[in-house]
Amino acid sequence: MSGNKKNVFLLTLLTTLLISIVLISCSPQKGKQLNVSPKGTEVNADEALNLLKDGNKRFVDGKEKNTDLTEETKSDLFEDGQYPYAVIISCSDSRVPPELLFNEGFGNIFVIRNAGNVVDQISLGSIEYGVEHLGAPLIMVLGHEKCGAVKATIDGGDFSENIGAIAKEITPAYNSAKINIKDNKLIYSNTEDENIKQSVNEIKNSEVIKHLLEENKVKVVGAKYSLETGKVIVSE
Ligand SMILES: [Zn+2]
């Protein structure tokens, strides 16, 4: 190889190396590309709802982003505190985990769960804490298809006192569903829908939430998860 050719070869090699180094250093690290969701204090209710809808779309499409579980993120959340953008009250059903359905990581959604997504004093207090003290602008009641708590309420049975307390909460929703029922096959599904509405109304009746609603600082929506499709349908 002549001197000139050797120089050109070395220069090309050097340039390729430099470009590779720049590209590698600029590409996002696997753990860092994720916690991109804004703080709850940085978005309004509609923006927060869009974040959930986008996350559910990724889940349905099988295009989930890597939810950031690095030590660095955990440490940031420990140092800076939590600023979730949504409070979600959902059923405890093991097939309905909100963080997975909305493809979210640590610190983004404040979740309350119980069988039947019912609103009692403890869950209402938790919801109030999430919006009033943590600053989340959105509250979602997340029900789902084939809810066992709803089915047990309708079918009846010999419940323990504590399980009976759940059925007691869902009974008014069942009664509402019965009034408008056109096809008895739909009684389970209609009661699930009424139960979501009932929880939304109970949240809206809280003095704390009422006040925040008047000031347009919070929004309450109902939503239903389809076990079949993975989609969450929001009813605003
Ligand atoms: Zn359920």
Side-chain angles (χ1 to χ4, degrees):
M1 201 181 278
S2 74
N4 266 349
K5 276 190 179 168
K6 199 172 176 183
N7 283 344
V8 170
F9 174 74
L10 282 173
L11 194 64
T12 311
L13 189 68
L14 196 62
T15 311
T16 312
L17 268 172
L18 275 172
I19 290 172
S20 305
I21 290 167
V22 168
L23 282 176
I24 289 167
S25 62
C26 289
S27 55
Q29 294 163 33
K30 208 178 176 193
K32 286 301 280 178
Q33 60 188 340
L34 272 204
N35 216 358
V36 288
S37 295
K39 290 178 176 177
T41 46
E42 295 169 349
V43 292
N44 63 32
D46 292 330
E47 289 164 336
L49 187 56
N50 283 334
L51 288 169
L52 292 180
K53 286 179 179 173
D54 290 348
N56 182 241
K57 188 169 185 327
R58 289 195 299 276
F59 171 75
V60 171
D61 294 345
K63 292 180 178 169
E64 291 98 329
K65 64 182 185 182
N66 174 13
T67 46
D68 189 348
L69 299 175
T70 59
E71 287 305 319
E72 196 184 350
T73 304
K74 287 184 213 165
S75 159
D76 283 352
L77 287 164
F78 174 69
E79 298 289 337
D80 302 340
Q82 55 168 329
Y83 299 92
Y85 64 77
V87 171
I88 299 177
I89 174 162
S90 79
C91 185
S92 297
D93 193 305
S94 59
R95 299 165 294 181
V96 191
E99 286 86 350
L100 298 182
L101 311 184
F102 295 114
N103 185 215
E104 270 302 359
F106 282 0
N108 300 128
I109 53 179
F110 188 83
V111 180
I112 300 112
R113 296 181 74 173
N114 59 49
N117 41 274
V118 296
V119 175
D120 61 5
Q121 193 178 8
I122 305 289
S123 53
L124 194 53
S126 305
I127 293 166
E128 290 176 1
Y129 180 77
V131 291
E132 195 180 36
H133 293 270
L134 301 180
L138 179 72
I139 302 167
M140 173 182 279
V141 176
L142 180 64
H144 66 102
E145 284 176 343
K146 296 190 182 294
C147 182
V150 166
K151 187 174 188 308
T153 302
I154 295 170
D155 293 349
D158 191 14
F159 301 133
S160 70
E161 187 184 343
N162 295 323
I163 293 179
I166 299 172
K168 197 175 164 191
E169 290 285 338
I170 299 174
T171 297
Y174 175 39
N175 292 336
S176 299
K178 275 194 287 190
I179 293 169
N180 300 314
I181 194 80
K182 291 194 176 94
D183 179 352
N184 274 336
K185 282 183 202 151
L186 297 175
I187 191 62
Y188 296 108
S189 172
N190 287 7
T191 305
E192 285 156 7
D193 295 344
E194 288 296 329
N195 187 43
I196 294 166
K197 277 190 220 162
Q198 180 178 287
S199 291
V200 165
N201 289 335
E202 281 167 357
I203 293 167
K204 285 181 175 173
N205 278 333
S206 134
E207 284 305 318
V208 170
I209 307 295
K210 234 188 250 181
H211 189 63
L212 293 168
L213 281 167
E214 281 163 11
E215 292 181 343
N216 277 328
K217 284 188 177 164
V218 76
K219 191 170 186 174
V220 189
V221 298
K224 192 170 183 181
Y225 172 66
S226 165
L227 295 178
E228 212 177 346
T229 65
K231 281 185 189 165
V232 173
I233 305 294
V234 178
S235 46
E236 289 183 63

